[in-house]
Amino acid sequence: KLDCRVENLQYRTRALASRLRKTHNETGYTGVYKEHKKYRAVISINGKSKHLGMFLTAEEAAKAYNDASLKFLGEEGKINILSKKK
């Protein structure tokens, strides 16, 4: 993290750097928001929000976000790390 030699640096656009930042929302997943008793999955493509659906669990919504991220953004997209909550 603190080793800033040229061979360790990597070019990133502002958009890419923003997508890869850690999320701080209530659900703990990027693109997942709680609405009443369900979870909404949303992804931003070219500055426009795309609704991915409503889900019963945050993990299902995060998986939908991950699938859309891979489809629309490829390797530059963020992938949520899914945890198995009991």
Side-chain angles (χ1 to χ4, degrees):
K1 190 172 183 179
L2 298 176
D3 189 355
C4 297
R5 287 178 288 168
V6 173
E7 59 268 15
N8 292 332
L9 298 179
Q10 188 177 46
Y11 175 78
R12 289 186 180 169
T13 63
R14 282 184 82 165
L16 176 59
S18 178
R19 274 197 298 274
L20 297 179
R21 263 187 220 114
K22 185 178 177 185
T23 187
H24 296 287
N25 72 11
E26 181 181 315
T27 64
Y29 297 114
T30 297
V32 177
Y33 307 95
K34 187 168 185 179
E35 289 188 15
H36 306 291
K37 294 182 181 181
K38 291 188 178 183
Y39 295 87
R40 178 183 300 273
V42 178
I43 192 167
S44 179
I45 307 295
N46 296 326
K48 295 185 179 183
S49 291
K50 180 170 177 56
H51 173 75
L52 301 173
M54 298 293 286
F55 302 89
L56 295 177
T57 67
E59 289 76 18
E60 290 174 1
K63 184 174 179 342
Y65 177 90
N66 289 351
D67 294 343
S69 182
L70 286 172
K71 178 180 177 183
F72 294 113
L73 302 172
E75 290 182 11
E76 291 188 350
K78 181 169 183 178
I79 300 297
N80 288 305
I81 297 171
L82 301 176
S83 63
K84 295 189 177 192
K85 297 178 182 176
K86 293 183 178 182

